[in-house]
Amino acid sequence: MDTRTWLYRQLDPEAWQQAGLSPINRLLVAMIIIATLLAIIETEPLLTRGRDHWFTLAQLLFGCVFLAEYLGRLWSLGAAPAPPTVAAQRWRFVRSAGGVIDLIVIIATFLPFIAPNVAAFRLLRLVRIVGLARLGRLSLAMRSVGEAIHSRRYELAVTAGLAAMLLVLGASALYWLEGHLQPDKFGSIPRALWWAVITMTTIGYGDVYPITAAGRLVASMVAICGIGLIAMPTGILAAAFSDAMQRNRERLEVSADGEGS
Amino acid sequence: MDTRTWLYRQLDPEAWQQAGLSPINRLLVAMIIIATLLAIIETEPLLTRGRDHWFTLAQLLFGCVFLAEYLGRLWSLGAAPAPPTVAAQRWRFVRSAGGVIDLIVIIATFLPFIAPNVAAFRLLRLVRIVGLARLGRLSLAMRSVGEAIHSRRYELAVTAGLAAMLLVLGASALYWLEGHLQPDKFGSIPRALWWAVITMTTIGYGDVYPITAAGRLVASMVAICGIGLIAMPTGILAAAFSDAMQRNRERLEVSADGEGS
Amino acid sequence: MDTRTWLYRQLDPEAWQQAGLSPINRLLVAMIIIATLLAIIETEPLLTRGRDHWFTLAQLLFGCVFLAEYLGRLWSLGAAPAPPTVAAQRWRFVRSAGGVIDLIVIIATFLPFIAPNVAAFRLLRLVRIVGLARLGRLSLAMRSVGEAIHSRRYELAVTAGLAAMLLVLGASALYWLEGHLQPDKFGSIPRALWWAVITMTTIGYGDVYPITAAGRLVASMVAICGIGLIAMPTGILAAAFSDAMQRNRERLEVSADGEGS
Amino acid sequence: MDTRTWLYRQLDPEAWQQAGLSPINRLLVAMIIIATLLAIIETEPLLTRGRDHWFTLAQLLFGCVFLAEYLGRLWSLGAAPAPPTVAAQRWRFVRSAGGVIDLIVIIATFLPFIAPNVAAFRLLRLVRIVGLARLGRLSLAMRSVGEAIHSRRYELAVTAGLAAMLLVLGASALYWLEGHLQPDKFGSIPRALWWAVITMTTIGYGDVYPITAAGRLVASMVAICGIGLIAMPTGILAAAFSDAMQRNRERLEVSADGEGS
């Protein structure tokens, strides 16, 4: 097995023939996590003061690693078994979601050194964390969670629709009842919607709340319905996960019966 | 097929013989959503300033569309296959919940142009969003969600009853313990009920909270019971959804067995 | 059937031979709800001002109704089919939880007219709402909810134990980390426990919250564990309800099979 | 049966041959709870003022009890049936998590009497509450809860990963949108993470919240996703508990069938 094939099997999670992630991909996942943590810490002046050059160095290092990974992926695709030409394979990777994210992240890592004012782009590096989702291709758990949610997408959509309707009606009611009393908080339906979202998700910051008896009555009803907003998708997901597990078990039993007879 | 029959099949979701919604109904659903979004945005002065005439125009346009839909529905009922006379069919539509809502929405759309002071009526247009519920007639998901909730209505009622009792007892306890200390917040049971609802739904705005040790002890107990208030209906709904799915699967198995033998 | 037997069957939910509640019990349930609502409203000065005598009258009326019910129950027990003497039956009723509550409520209703300073006792009338629990004897739903909770009492106790441990450890950590900074909020573990309860139940009033980085880190961990505190009992209850339903269904299938063969 | 064997069976929950906990272990559990409650109360100056010597006495007493238990455990291990030498058994206990915690607690109880400045160590006594987990060895419920969580650890990890990603992305978005407006609240991603955790767990203290329209839009999306963060693990756990119960039931049925045929 030549180096290119070895690298291809190391980098492409689907080409890796053993269980779990390949050692190089594991290393990359670890580096993505560390780079993300560094990008988080980097924004806190209390932690970076006087240590700016270390962060710059770490950033350069990670930039080089991810650039090497990108080039390595492109090169190793020459060993891919798929029918089209190597150029087509590479172009497909460059166009893919993963490829585009990789490129943006690499550019966002090196750009601030040239044009310091684009530091805000450094944040895009966080998008790289989505690269972790590639772990999912391996993970049976991620697929089973995804399938369970997918199998109940219509029920979840109905719940979301009811929730959206309740949000709009609740916000409208509060706008109508308290819009003239607290104009900066309920003075328009979009403003009241902020209150409605924070109430129905049971967060309740306390920056906006009704002050009249009528407003509180409506808010209480919205709050109680908000429990349904949490209970219904939870119940639907619970049933979906339960169903998926049982189907798996029955499949196992059927195959066990087949072997037994 | 004449125009009337075509329109009838387009407008009545039950007369549409293919899967999903008819093209015209899809268009109407989209227009209801857009009209609702406009009605929401319209109330925000920061967004409408200087663009009032555009909103007026859009409102007139939507008013005409919904008027045309209403008249179209009435006219197309002449092609309905149901036995009674066309007049009876039309009267039944006018009397139905959907028909009444449609009419109110149309009036609420045009009225503000004649009497500007009734602008508050524009809010009634939001009731039109309930018209979206007609989608439900098509949706298997909505029916299955509804059936699951309906099949457990007694259990949910018991939970609601327990929650109501806990609300009243918790509010009474805080009224008794802190009513004299924070008279504007716990000075009467109705006032304390506002605290109880916001606490038991775990929203916790922070506008009202106990300040004595005894009040906090009782509030802690109410808070912990409040988790039960969320956990119990969620659990009941989860079981109901799970049950509904399994019954569906068994029905499919039975019919598959019937075909197999 | 004489009047006494008729009254006995009307008043004792278990002696009523038809489905649901007897007409007189339905009336009593309605009166308990109305009396409770009145007792709630009565405490709000904005609603009662200038209408005190109406509330006094209503209170007297309900007092008489509940007194009549109590005496009626005692008298009608003479028609009970149970073996012991009528006196023993009556004494058993007077000693029972329902009988004691009834008596307290009646006394609490009339007492304030003699000694106005004991108005606080009026609150005890709310205990009467527990009388609604008698509905539960009829309700299959209440029993099934109760059985489901009972069948999982050990799992729920384990969850409660873990939650209690987390509460104490979280409160101790915050006391240790922020006790000297916010002495009135985290200055002792009992004070910090108020914060821990309000955080773990996800209420979050906002009267107490950590202000240091270390305190926020610990609070974040407590908050994330708090989700488990909600998710675990919900999951356990969902499984319990699901299990109870399935067992019921299997029982029905077994009896149907028995009939079929 | 000599005293040592009797004590061994009393102290080691696994050696106790009857159901539940042995009388001495029950007493110890009660004493741990009381000692913990005392340690909690002890920190509240309003409760301890003028009663310091009582608390000191109680502390000494509990210290002696737990020391006696520790020595008793060491001595009674001589009656353990396991093959290695008594010294090895004792050393294994001293090294075990339970043994280390016991020793720390005992030292933390007596140390403050010698060096009063190490009062903070008294808090370590709370770690002793973990000793309650030993109850779990007996409890079928604790094991079944643990097994259910363990069987779904990958799905729960996927949920945790998604939640972590959402936390970081949400915090980054708010840092970008409001970092310059509220520098002390959103001025860095670590600061914004505090907001993100408190929002996604639906606690919502109200010390930090977005004030711009864009910030509120992003916060609303984070809040709605936060419901998923609660709904998904709840659903997974519900399915896991349901699955575990059903498997138990089937096992029972299989054994019943085996007996029947």
Side-chain angles (χ1 to χ4, degrees):
Chain A
M1 187 167 69
D2 64 320
T3 320
R4 188 184 278 202
T5 309
W6 177 84
L7 192 64
Y8 173 68
R9 290 197 181 155
Q10 286 282 339
L11 284 174
D12 193 329
E14 283 178 351
W16 183 246
Q17 281 144 343
Q18 294 164 40
L21 273 181
S22 68
I24 289 204
N25 268 334
R26 260 184 237 171
L27 197 77
L28 283 167
V29 163
M31 294 197 87
I32 291 167
I33 291 169
I34 294 168
T36 306
L37 289 178
L38 268 181
I40 289 171
I41 289 168
E42 209 175 49
T43 62
E44 175 57 62
L46 294 178
L47 294 170
T48 56
R49 201 176 295 153
R51 264 165 280 167
D52 286 8
H53 52 286
W54 289 111
F55 282 97
T56 305
L57 202 75
Q59 215 170 320
L60 266 174
L61 190 80
F62 282 117
C64 292
V65 166
F66 295 134
L67 182 62
E69 182 211 354
Y70 189 78
L71 296 175
R73 252 179 231 284
L74 275 187
W75 178 65
S76 71
L77 277 173
T85 63
V86 170
Q89 285 265 16
R90 282 176 185 157
W91 179 232
R92 212 168 62 184
F93 169 69
V94 170
R95 277 182 320 169
S96 73
V100 170
I101 289 166
D102 278 6
L103 202 64
I104 292 172
V105 169
I106 290 162
I107 293 167
T109 308
F110 287 112
L111 213 67
F113 297 104
I114 306 158
N117 291 341
V118 294
F121 279 90
R122 290 186 192 183
L123 263 173
L124 281 166
R125 187 184 301 158
L126 284 160
V127 184
R128 187 71 162 95
I129 218 171
V130 182
L132 282 164
R134 272 177 303 194
L135 279 165
R137 269 189 263 170
L138 286 162
S139 167
L140 197 69
M142 199 171 212
R143 211 179 309 161
S144 86
V145 167
E147 267 171 23
I149 293 170
H150 190 253
S151 73
R152 297 290 130 198
R153 63 192 178 285
Y154 294 118
E155 276 88 351
L156 292 171
V158 165
T159 309
L162 287 173
M165 222 182 282
L166 191 62
L167 275 179
V168 170
L169 291 177
S172 305
L174 264 287
Y175 158 67
W176 193 67
L177 288 167
E178 305 223 343
H180 53 289
L181 289 170
Q182 307 192 72
D184 55 325
K185 288 169 181 170
F186 295 110
S188 73
I189 298 178
R191 285 176 208 187
L193 271 172
W194 168 244
W195 165 83
V197 167
I198 295 308
T199 298
M200 281 190 66
T201 54
T202 78
I203 291 171
Y205 287 126
D207 55 338
V208 197
Y209 49 83
I211 49 173
T212 62
R216 288 181 170 179
L217 202 70
V218 170
S220 298
M221 291 188 303
V222 170
I224 289 162
C225 293
I227 289 177
L229 171 63
I230 294 176
M232 270 175 63
T234 307
I236 291 168
L237 285 178
F241 288 126
S242 195
D243 202 46
M245 278 180 214
Q246 205 155 358
R247 228 178 305 154
N248 279 342
R249 207 138 47 88
E250 272 163 26
R251 215 178 289 154
L252 287 173
E253 274 164 24
V254 166
S255 63
D257 282 8
E259 282 167 30
S261 60
Chain B
M1 187 168 70
D2 63 321
T3 320
R4 189 184 278 204
T5 310
W6 177 84
L7 192 63
Y8 174 67
R9 291 197 181 156
Q10 286 281 339
L11 285 174
D12 193 329
E14 283 178 351
W16 182 247
Q17 283 145 341
Q18 294 164 39
L21 274 181
S22 68
I24 289 204
N25 267 335
R26 260 184 236 173
L27 198 75
L28 282 168
V29 163
M31 294 197 88
I32 290 167
I33 291 170
I34 294 168
T36 306
L37 288 177
L38 269 179
I40 288 171
I41 290 168
E42 209 173 50
T43 62
E44 175 57 62
L46 295 178
L47 293 170
T48 55
R49 200 176 297 151
R51 263 164 280 166
D52 286 9
H53 53 285
W54 288 111
F55 283 95
T56 306
L57 201 75
Q59 216 170 319
L60 266 174
L61 190 80
F62 282 115
C64 293
V65 166
F66 295 133
L67 183 62
E69 182 210 354
Y70 189 78
L71 297 175
R73 253 178 230 284
L74 276 186
W75 179 66
S76 71
L77 278 172
T85 64
V86 171
Q89 286 264 15
R90 281 175 185 157
W91 179 232
R92 211 167 62 182
F93 168 69
V94 169
R95 277 182 319 169
S96 72
V100 169
I101 289 166
D102 278 6
L103 203 63
I104 292 172
V105 169
I106 290 161
I107 293 167
T109 309
F110 287 112
L111 213 68
F113 297 105
I114 306 158
N117 291 342
V118 293
F121 278 91
R122 291 187 191 183
L123 263 173
L124 282 165
R125 187 183 301 158
L126 283 160
V127 183
R128 186 71 161 95
I129 218 172
V130 181
L132 282 165
R134 271 178 303 195
L135 279 166
R137 270 189 263 169
L138 287 161
S139 167
L140 196 71
M142 199 171 213
R143 211 179 310 159
S144 88
V145 168
E147 267 172 23
I149 294 170
H150 191 252
S151 72
R152 298 291 131 198
R153 63 191 178 286
Y154 293 118
E155 276 89 350
L156 292 171
V158 165
T159 309
L162 286 173
M165 222 182 281
L166 191 62
L167 275 178
V168 170
L169 291 177
S172 305
L174 264 287
Y175 158 67
W176 193 66
L177 288 166
E178 305 223 344
H180 53 289
L181 289 169
Q182 309 191 70
D184 55 325
K185 290 170 179 169
F186 294 110
S188 74
I189 297 178
R191 286 175 208 185
L193 271 171
W194 169 244
W195 165 82
V197 167
I198 295 308
T199 298
M200 281 190 64
T201 54
T202 79
I203 290 172
Y205 287 127
D207 54 339
V208 196
Y209 50 83
I211 50 173
T212 62
R216 288 181 170 179
L217 202 69
V218 171
S220 297
M221 290 189 305
V222 170
I224 288 163
C225 294
I227 288 177
L229 171 63
I230 294 177
M232 269 175 61
T234 307
I236 291 168
L237 285 178
F241 289 127
S242 195
D243 202 46
M245 277 180 213
Q246 205 156 357
R247 225 177 309 155
N248 279 341
R249 207 137 47 87
E250 271 162 26
R251 213 176 292 152
L252 287 173
E253 274 163 25
V254 166
S255 62
D257 283 6
E259 281 168 30
S261 60
Chain C
M1 188 168 69
D2 64 321
T3 320
R4 187 184 278 204
T5 310
W6 176 85
L7 192 63
Y8 173 68
R9 290 198 180 155
Q10 286 282 338
L11 284 174
D12 192 329
E14 283 179 351
W16 183 246
Q17 282 145 341
Q18 295 164 39
L21 274 181
S22 68
I24 289 206
N25 267 335
R26 260 183 236 172
L27 198 75
L28 282 168
V29 164
M31 295 197 88
I32 291 168
I33 290 169
I34 294 167
T36 306
L37 289 177
L38 269 180
I40 288 171
I41 289 168
E42 209 175 50
T43 62
E44 174 58 62
L46 295 177
L47 294 170
T48 55
R49 201 176 295 153
R51 262 163 281 166
D52 286 7
H53 53 285
W54 289 110
F55 282 96
T56 306
L57 202 74
Q59 216 170 318
L60 267 174
L61 190 79
F62 281 115
C64 294
V65 167
F66 295 133
L67 183 62
E69 181 211 352
Y70 189 79
L71 297 175
R73 251 178 232 283
L74 276 186
W75 177 66
S76 71
L77 277 173
T85 63
V86 170
Q89 285 265 14
R90 281 175 186 157
W91 179 231
R92 212 170 60 184
F93 169 69
V94 169
R95 277 182 318 169
S96 73
V100 170
I101 290 166
D102 278 6
L103 203 63
I104 292 173
V105 170
I106 290 160
I107 293 167
T109 308
F110 288 112
L111 213 68
F113 298 105
I114 306 157
N117 291 342
V118 293
F121 279 90
R122 290 188 190 181
L123 263 175
L124 281 166
R125 186 183 301 157
L126 284 161
V127 183
R128 186 71 162 95
I129 218 172
V130 182
L132 282 164
R134 271 177 303 197
L135 279 165
R137 270 189 263 170
L138 286 162
S139 168
L140 196 71
M142 200 172 212
R143 210 179 310 160
S144 87
V145 167
E147 267 171 24
I149 294 169
H150 191 253
S151 73
R152 298 289 129 200
R153 64 192 177 285
Y154 294 118
E155 275 89 350
L156 292 171
V158 165
T159 309
L162 287 173
M165 222 181 283
L166 191 62
L167 275 178
V168 171
L169 291 178
S172 306
L174 264 287
Y175 159 67
W176 194 67
L177 288 167
E178 306 223 342
H180 53 289
L181 289 169
Q182 308 191 71
D184 55 325
K185 290 170 179 168
F186 294 111
S188 73
I189 297 180
R191 286 174 208 185
L193 271 171
W194 168 244
W195 165 82
V197 167
I198 295 308
T199 297
M200 280 191 66
T201 54
T202 78
I203 291 171
Y205 287 128
D207 55 339
V208 197
Y209 50 82
I211 51 173
T212 62
R216 289 182 169 178
L217 202 70
V218 171
S220 296
M221 289 187 305
V222 170
I224 288 163
C225 294
I227 288 178
L229 171 64
I230 295 177
M232 269 175 62
T234 308
I236 291 167
L237 285 177
F241 288 127
S242 195
D243 202 45
M245 277 179 212
Q246 205 156 356
R247 226 177 307 154
N248 279 342
R249 207 138 45 88
E250 271 163 26
R251 213 177 290 152
L252 287 173
E253 273 164 26
V254 165
S255 63
D257 283 7
E259 282 169 30
S261 60
Chain D
M1 188 167 69
D2 64 321
T3 321
R4 188 185 277 204
T5 309
W6 176 84
L7 192 64
Y8 173 68
R9 290 200 180 152
Q10 285 281 339
L11 284 174
D12 192 329
E14 283 178 350
W16 182 246
Q17 281 145 343
Q18 294 164 39
L21 274 180
S22 67
I24 289 206
N25 268 334
R26 260 184 237 172
L27 197 76
L28 281 168
V29 163
M31 295 197 88
I32 290 168
I33 291 169
I34 293 167
T36 305
L37 288 177
L38 269 180
I40 288 171
I41 289 167
E42 209 175 48
T43 62
E44 174 57 62
L46 295 177
L47 295 169
T48 56
R49 202 176 295 154
R51 262 164 281 166
D52 286 7
H53 53 285
W54 289 111
F55 282 96
T56 306
L57 202 75
Q59 217 171 318
L60 266 175
L61 190 79
F62 281 116
C64 294
V65 167
F66 295 134
L67 183 62
E69 182 210 353
Y70 189 78
L71 296 175
R73 253 178 230 283
L74 276 187
W75 178 67
S76 71
L77 277 173
T85 64
V86 171
Q89 285 265 13
R90 280 176 186 156
W91 178 234
R92 213 168 62 183
F93 168 68
V94 170
R95 277 182 319 169
S96 74
V100 170
I101 290 166
D102 278 5
L103 202 64
I104 291 172
V105 169
I106 290 161
I107 293 168
T109 308
F110 288 112
L111 212 67
F113 296 105
I114 306 159
N117 291 341
V118 294
F121 279 89
R122 290 188 191 180
L123 263 173
L124 281 165
R125 187 184 299 157
L126 284 159
V127 183
R128 186 70 162 96
I129 218 171
V130 181
L132 282 165
R134 271 177 304 195
L135 279 165
R137 270 190 263 170
L138 286 161
S139 168
L140 196 70
M142 200 173 211
R143 210 179 310 159
S144 87
V145 167
E147 266 171 25
I149 294 170
H150 190 253
S151 73
R152 298 290 130 201
R153 64 192 178 285
Y154 293 117
E155 276 88 351
L156 292 171
V158 165
T159 309
L162 287 173
M165 222 183 282
L166 192 62
L167 275 178
V168 171
L169 291 177
S172 306
L174 264 287
Y175 158 67
W176 193 66
L177 288 166
E178 306 221 344
H180 53 289
L181 289 169
Q182 308 191 72
D184 55 325
K185 289 170 179 169
F186 294 111
S188 73
I189 297 179
R191 286 175 208 186
L193 272 171
W194 168 245
W195 165 82
V197 167
I198 294 308
T199 297
M200 280 190 66
T201 53
T202 79
I203 290 171
Y205 286 128
D207 55 339
V208 196
Y209 49 82
I211 50 173
T212 62
R216 289 182 169 180
L217 201 69
V218 171
S220 297
M221 290 188 303
V222 171
I224 289 163
C225 293
I227 289 177
L229 171 64
I230 294 177
M232 270 175 63
T234 308
I236 291 167
L237 285 177
F241 289 126
S242 196
D243 202 46
M245 278 180 213
Q246 206 155 354
R247 228 176 307 154
N248 280 341
R249 207 139 46 87
E250 270 163 26
R251 215 177 290 152
L252 288 173
E253 274 164 25
V254 165
S255 63
D257 283 7
E259 282 167 29
S261 58

